[in-house]
C-alpha cells in the first residue's frame, strides 16, 4: 500500500512507521523533520509545516494514497485543513482521536466504541470529540472515507508511564524512587488502568489500513491487561530494583494544588483517575488474530534499560520534585492538626 503519515516519529506512530517500512509498503512521512535521522531509509519524507497547504501540495504533487494517517490533528480547524488537502487523494483517512474522549465518569467502567463521548474536565478531549463529529459528518454527507482510532495510554522505551509527573516527564518520579523518597499516587492507587506497548498498538492499527470494514467506523486499540495504579508503580519499582513507597493524595487535591500548566484536572480527573476496562472485541472482529503480547512488567523493564543507556532522556524536574515534597508536608500537617 501507499501510505502517508502526518507525524510518524512520535510514541505511537514511530512503531507504525518501523513496521510498515519493514513490510515493504510505499511509506511517506509528512512532518517538520526534527527526528529525520530516526526514520528508516526506505521512507520518503515530506518535510514542511502541514499548515502551509500550498507547500504540502507542491511537494506531494498529484500523488494518490491508499491511506492518509493523521497523528497530530488536535483541533477541528486542522481536520478541516486535512479534508481540503486529502479529499479525493486517499481511499482512507485515519484520524487518531483519544480514549479520553469517553464520558468521565461513564455510566459503566466497561468501555466500548459505543460509550458516550463527553469529557467536562479536559479541553483536549473535547477538541478530539469535535474533530470526530466533523469527520463523521463529512463521511455521512460527502463520503469522506474516515476511520477513527481511539488509543488510551500507549508507551514506548523513551518514557515510563506514571500518573503524576511534571512537564518534563517521568524521570523525576523514577529518581525519587531510586533515592528512596515517596512518590505521589492519585487516590488510593486502586483504580484500574490499561497500558499498551506501542509495537502492539501498531499491529492493530496496521490491520485497519486498507480494510474496507474500517471505513466510517471507530475503533479502540489497547492491551487486554488491566492493572491498578499500585500494580503499575510496583512494576516500575521492581524494574528499578527499589522499594515502592507510595504517598496517596486525592486526585481533586492534586488537580487544585498543582501549577495550572500541568493540567492535572484533565490528566487525572478527566482520564487516569477513573477506572476503565476497554473491550476490543470490535477490533478483533475486523483484524482477526490481533492480540497485545507485551505485559507491562516486561515493557517497563525495556523502558528502564533504555533510559539508563540514554542519559539525554534523564530529564530532571526540580520544580516537580519540590512540589511533591510540599504536598506531602501539607497533608501530614493537616493530619496532625485534625488529630489534635
Amino acid at each position: 500500500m501507499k501510505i502517508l503519515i502526518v507525524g510518524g516519529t512520535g510514541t505511537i506512530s514511530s512503531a507504525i512507521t518501523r513496521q510498515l517500512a519493514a513490510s515493504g509498503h510505499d511509506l511517506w512521512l509528512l512532518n517538520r523533520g526534527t527526528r529525520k535521522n530516526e526514520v528508516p531509509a526506505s521512507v520518503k519524507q515530506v518535510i514542511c509545516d502541514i499548515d502551509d497547504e500550498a507547500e504540502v501540495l507542491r511537494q506531494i504533487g498529484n500523488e494518490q494514497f491508499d491511506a492518509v494517517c493523521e497523528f497530530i490533528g488536535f483541533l477541528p480547524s486542522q481536520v478541516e485543513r486535512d479534508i481540503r488537502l486529502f479529499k479525493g487523494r486517499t481511499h482512507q483517512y485515519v484520524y487518531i482521536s483519544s480514549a479520553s474522549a469517553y464520558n468521565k465518569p461513564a455510566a459503566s467502567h466497561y468501555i466500548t466504541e459505543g460509550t458516550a463521548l463527553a469529557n467536562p474536565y479536559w479541553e483536549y478531549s473535547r477538541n478530539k470529540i469535535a474533530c470526530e463529529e466533523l469527520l463523521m459528518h463529512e463521511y455521512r454527507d460527502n463520503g469522506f472515507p474516515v476511520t477513527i482510532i481511539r488509543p488510551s495510554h500507549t508507551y514506548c522505551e523513551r518514557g515510563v508511564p506514571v500518573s503524576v509527573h511534571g512537564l518534563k516527564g517521568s524521570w523525576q518520579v523514577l529518581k525519587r524512587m531510586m533515592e528512596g523518597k515517596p512518590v505521589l499516587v492519585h487516590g488510593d492507587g486502586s483504580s484500574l488502568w490499561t497500558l499498551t506497548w506501542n509495537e502492539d498498538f501498531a499491529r492493530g492499527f496496521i490491520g485497519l489500513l486498507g480494510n474496507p470494514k474500517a471505513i466510517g467506523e471507530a475503533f479502540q486499540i489497547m492491551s487486554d491487561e488491566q492493572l491498578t495504579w499500585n500494580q503499575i508503580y510496583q512494576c516500575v519499582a521492581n524494574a528499578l530494583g527499589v522499594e515502592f513507597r507510595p504517598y496517596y493524595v486525592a486526585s481533586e487535591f492534586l488537580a487544585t494544588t498543582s501549577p495550572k500548566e500541568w493540567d492535572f484536572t484533565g490528566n487525572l480527573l478527566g482520564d487516569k483517575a477513573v477506572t476503565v476496562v476497554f473491550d476490543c472485541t470490535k477490533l478483533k472482529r475486523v483484524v482477526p488474530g490481533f492480540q497485545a503480547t507485551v505485559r507491562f512488567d516486561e515493557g517497563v523493564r525495556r523502558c528502564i534499560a533504555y533510559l539508563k543507556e540514554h542519559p539525554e532522556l534523564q530529564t530532571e524536574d526540580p520544580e516537580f520534585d519540590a512540589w511533591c515534597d510540599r504536598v506531602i508536608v501539607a497533608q501530614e500537617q493537616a493530619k496532625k492538626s485534625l488529630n489534635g
Side-chain angles (χ1 to χ4, degrees), residues 105-112 115 192 226 274-279:
S108 169
H109 69 278
Y110 197 67
I111 306 298
T112 72
T115 298
L192 290 172
Q226 292 90 37
V274 182
T275 284
V276 286
V277 175
F278 295 103
D279 177 5

Side-chain angles (χ1 to χ4, degrees), residues 161-173:
V162 295
S163 64
V164 182
H165 62 80
L167 292 179
K168 296 181 180 179
S170 62
W171 177 255
Q172 192 65 47
V173 179

Side-chain angles (χ1 to χ4, degrees), residues 145-313:
V146 64
T147 298
I148 291 169
I149 307 296
R150 298 182 189 132
S152 186
H153 200 156
T154 307
Y155 69 107
C156 69
E157 69 280 358
R158 297 177 66 89
V160 174
V162 295
S163 64
V164 182
H165 62 80
L167 292 179
K168 296 181 180 179
S170 62
W171 177 255
Q172 192 65 47
V173 179
L174 274 60
K175 189 169 185 290
R176 288 182 69 90
M177 284 185 166
M178 291 185 288
E179 292 172 349
K181 299 175 72 173
V183 294
L184 300 186
V185 179
H186 67 274
D188 62 0
S190 65
S191 59
L192 290 172
W193 195 243
T194 298
L195 295 160
T196 307
W197 184 248
N198 68 341
E199 293 174 346
D200 283 338
F201 179 96
R203 288 195 296 275
F205 182 93
I206 291 170
L208 294 171
L209 297 183
N211 191 325
K213 295 180 180 179
I215 303 301
E217 299 289 341
F219 297 88
Q220 51 194 28
I221 305 175
M222 295 91 175
S223 170
D224 290 324
E225 180 185 41
Q226 292 90 37
L227 298 170
T228 68
W229 279 103
N230 282 326
Q231 291 172 320
I232 291 168
Y233 277 91
Q234 186 63 64
C235 286
V236 176
N238 290 347
L240 289 169
V242 300
E243 179 186 359
F244 171 40
R245 297 183 59 200
Y247 190 86
Y248 300 111
V249 184
S251 298
E252 186 173 1
F253 184 84
L254 292 171
T256 55
T257 60
S258 61
K260 184 178 180 180
E261 60 268 23
W262 296 358
D263 197 13
F264 285 168
T265 298
N267 278 294
L268 291 179
L269 301 181
D271 200 26
K272 298 178 180 64
V274 182
T275 284
V276 286
V277 175
F278 295 103
D279 177 5
C280 290
T281 300
K282 182 178 180 180
L283 173 70
K284 293 175 183 178
R285 284 199 304 265
V286 177
V287 186
F290 170 75
Q291 185 69 45
T293 60
V294 179
R295 286 190 336 217
F296 181 66
D297 62 315
E298 169 60 25
V300 76
R301 284 197 293 269
R302 297 182 190 179
C303 292
I304 298 298
Y306 189 88
L307 290 174
K308 287 184 175 180
E309 293 172 359
H310 292 80
E312 72 276 9
L313 299 177

